[in-house]
Amino acid sequence: IYNQAVKLRGEREVEKIAGNSNKTPMAISLVAFVSPAQPHRSISTGLYTLSGNLKSHFKGEVDVATYDMYADHSLTIDAIIENIIARKTKVLGLSIVPGVLKYAKDLFDKLNARVSEQDRPFIVLGNGVPTYIPEILLREYFPGAVVIKSEGELPLMELIEHERGERALKDVHSLVYEKDGKFISTEKVKIGMDKLVSPDMEEIVRLGNQGAKIYLESSRGCCWAACLFCSVVGLLGDRNKSLLWRVKSISQVVSEIK
């Protein structure tokens, strides 16, 4: 599925080269929240994996900004909202892990109070909590948003195509959304590890130089995958044995470390 999507995207590029050179890049904002109970500073690795992937595939057609409250404890919800509005953000991704739901909800409510419905960004929820309770979040906390289940690289690319009028919402993979009072769940897909591009290293290095701990991804899932309490299998792995644990190539990992 991923290869077909990339092939189709490549065919479209031929048609765009002449006409899109002067278009304003679509503003994408990605936010990771932190709980006050989290004392140390570390990067939200997935944020930069998504950012690097979007920049690599869409080149100058997107302008991606990351707001990592895990890595930068000086960031505030109000300051992030000001930036989202100032940038005229079209797609807003909110990463929600256990312990931060109320902060994501705070941003959502304050943003909706500041921006008219016509000018609001398309809001996408991702990471562990949305993956496991998508319908509860969409019904009770974030009406009008959508949820990406599990990995976000391909679905986020497809959502950008949706916002550009190039793809129907029902054709976006790994998505949960509400339509006419019913929840729609699309086919779940996982990206091949050999298809991953390097994360947004410029931002990672900047935050590392400011004292944040840096984590780099070498694999996804778990080769054991038998712990009933663990969320990793549902988020980054699969009960299918061939997809339990997927690894990046050694050369790719070494390149990112360097």
Side-chain angles (χ1 to χ4, degrees):
I1 291 173
Y2 177 83
N3 289 336
Q4 292 173 346
V6 172
K7 180 177 182 293
L8 178 60
R9 192 171 296 111
E11 292 171 350
R12 289 174 179 158
E13 290 302 318
V14 176
E15 302 172 2
K16 294 177 187 174
I17 291 175
N20 278 8
S21 58
N22 295 322
K23 281 191 175 181
T24 302
M26 179 185 290
I28 315 295
S29 296
L30 306 176
V31 184
F33 302 90
V34 68
S35 166
Q38 178 72 19
H40 72 275
R41 295 174 55 201
S42 60
I43 67 165
S44 301
T45 308
L47 215 63
Y48 306 103
T49 301
L50 294 174
S51 174
N53 188 67
L54 293 177
K55 290 179 179 180
S56 173
H57 282 282
F58 290 105
K59 310 298 182 186
E61 295 180 17
V62 297
D63 176 18
V64 185
T66 53
Y67 304 96
D68 189 354
M69 300 182 78
Y70 252 97
D72 185 354
H73 289 187
S74 69
L75 283 173
T76 65
I77 297 295
D78 290 337
I80 293 173
I81 290 173
E82 292 298 334
N83 278 275
I84 290 171
I85 295 173
R87 298 182 69 246
K88 298 182 179 180
T89 296
K90 295 299 182 183
V91 177
L92 172 60
L94 305 181
S95 174
I96 305 176
V97 297
V100 305
L101 177 58
K102 66 178 181 179
Y103 306 107
K105 175 62 172 171
D106 186 33
L107 183 147
F108 179 82
D109 289 342
K110 287 182 175 180
L111 181 63
N112 284 347
R114 290 276 309 275
V115 181
S116 67
E117 185 174 354
Q118 180 180 350
D119 295 327
R120 286 174 195 163
F122 189 92
I123 297 179
V124 188
L125 314 177
N127 215 319
V129 175
T131 292
Y132 281 94
I133 53 169
E135 295 182 6
I136 293 175
L137 291 188
L138 296 178
R139 183 188 305 115
E140 300 181 14
Y141 294 89
F142 305 94
V146 302
V147 164
I148 290 178
K149 302 172 294 184
S150 188
E151 300 170 4
E153 287 88 356
L154 179 59
L156 193 53
M157 290 161 57
E158 293 178 342
L159 279 173
I160 290 173
E161 293 176 347
H162 167 72
E163 281 298 284
R164 303 199 303 191
E166 300 170 359
R167 179 184 292 267
L169 195 61
K170 66 180 179 63
D171 294 327
V172 176
H173 292 92
S174 303
L175 205 66
V176 179
Y177 62 97
E178 189 172 9
K179 181 180 180 180
D180 299 329
K182 296 181 179 180
F183 286 102
I184 310 297
S185 182
T186 65
E187 181 185 3
K188 189 175 177 181
V189 66
K190 293 186 180 299
I191 192 171
M193 296 299 282
D194 60 329
K195 305 299 182 184
L196 288 175
V197 300
S198 292
D200 191 342
M201 299 306 294
E202 183 178 345
E203 279 297 296
I204 290 176
V205 170
R206 180 183 68 82
L207 291 167
N209 288 337
Q210 294 176 2
K213 293 182 179 179
I214 294 175
Y215 299 95
L216 295 178
E217 181 183 51
S218 60
S219 65
R220 290 186 180 180
C222 173
C223 59
W224 176 245
C227 301
L228 297 180
F229 61 83
C230 183
S231 64
V232 168
V233 173
L235 183 62
L236 297 175
D238 198 289
R239 293 296 177 187
N240 182 320
K241 288 186 177 181
S242 66
L243 297 174
L244 284 178
W245 185 56
R246 296 164 294 146
V247 299
K248 283 185 177 180
S249 67
I250 293 175
S251 60
Q252 187 173 4
V253 174
V254 171
S255 174
E256 292 176 10
I257 292 173
K258 289 181 177 180

